Amino acid sequence: MIKKRDGQTVIELLLILPVFMMIIFVVLELGNMAYHTILAHHVSYELARVGSLVGVKKASGKTDSQRVNSKMKEALNKMFGLRGAQSMQFSAVLQRTSTDPQVKTHVNEDLVVTLIYKIHLSFPLTSYIFADEPKKLGIKRIKATVRMPVERPLIN
């Protein structure tokens, strides 16, 4: 005789559904993090490009770090607006690389831009798994660093 198995399907669904949903949430959260990582690297590249182009006003002059920072902040605000730019923090450091052997006053420098971008993770449990400390906030910090040579005109 066949025994009655009412409810077996419901029990199997209740056992499998949480695992299936967890897999779906992990895939979606990883996609979200990948998108924001690409965005952070592109923003840091663009900030470094802007900073390297506007740092020197006159031929073979010194790099004005205040001008570099203000122009980079302006560019960040134009890209994301004031609200969007608040989730990003950047720092710019000038590193001397060499001196031109033909023109001793011409110093080569690199602008190193480091961007820290905070993203809010969306999905339950996966946001706790992937988040930085404190885990309960569900925030992941993405750090992107770009090095760009400072452009110096040799003639006026």
Side-chain angles (χ1 to χ4, degrees), residues 42-126:
H42 184 70
V43 168
S44 62
Y45 172 79
E46 289 297 325
L47 289 178
R49 187 180 68 82
V50 166
S52 70
L53 291 174
V54 300
V56 180
K57 287 185 181 178
K58 63 179 189 169
S60 298
K62 285 191 153 218
T63 307
D64 185 3
S65 60
Q66 287 182 340
R67 179 179 161 89
V68 168
N69 282 328
S70 68
K71 291 293 185 180
M72 287 170 53
K73 193 169 212 67
E74 255 179 54
L76 189 63
N77 288 337
K78 282 183 183 177
M79 284 189 263
F80 292 99
L82 288 173
R83 185 172 174 201
Q86 289 175 349
S87 65
M88 299 181 194
Q89 300 170 342
F90 71 89
S91 65
V93 177
L94 288 167
Q95 291 184 350
R96 185 177 178 164
T97 54
S98 65
T99 305
D100 191 345
Q102 293 178 344
V103 182
K104 296 294 182 195
T105 59
H106 186 81
V107 176
N108 295 322
E109 291 176 317
D110 283 353
L111 178 67
V112 180
V113 175
T114 302
L115 179 85
I116 297 175
Y117 178 34
K118 293 190 296 189
I119 61 170
H120 294 277
L121 302 175
S122 309
F123 298 101
L125 195 58
T126 57

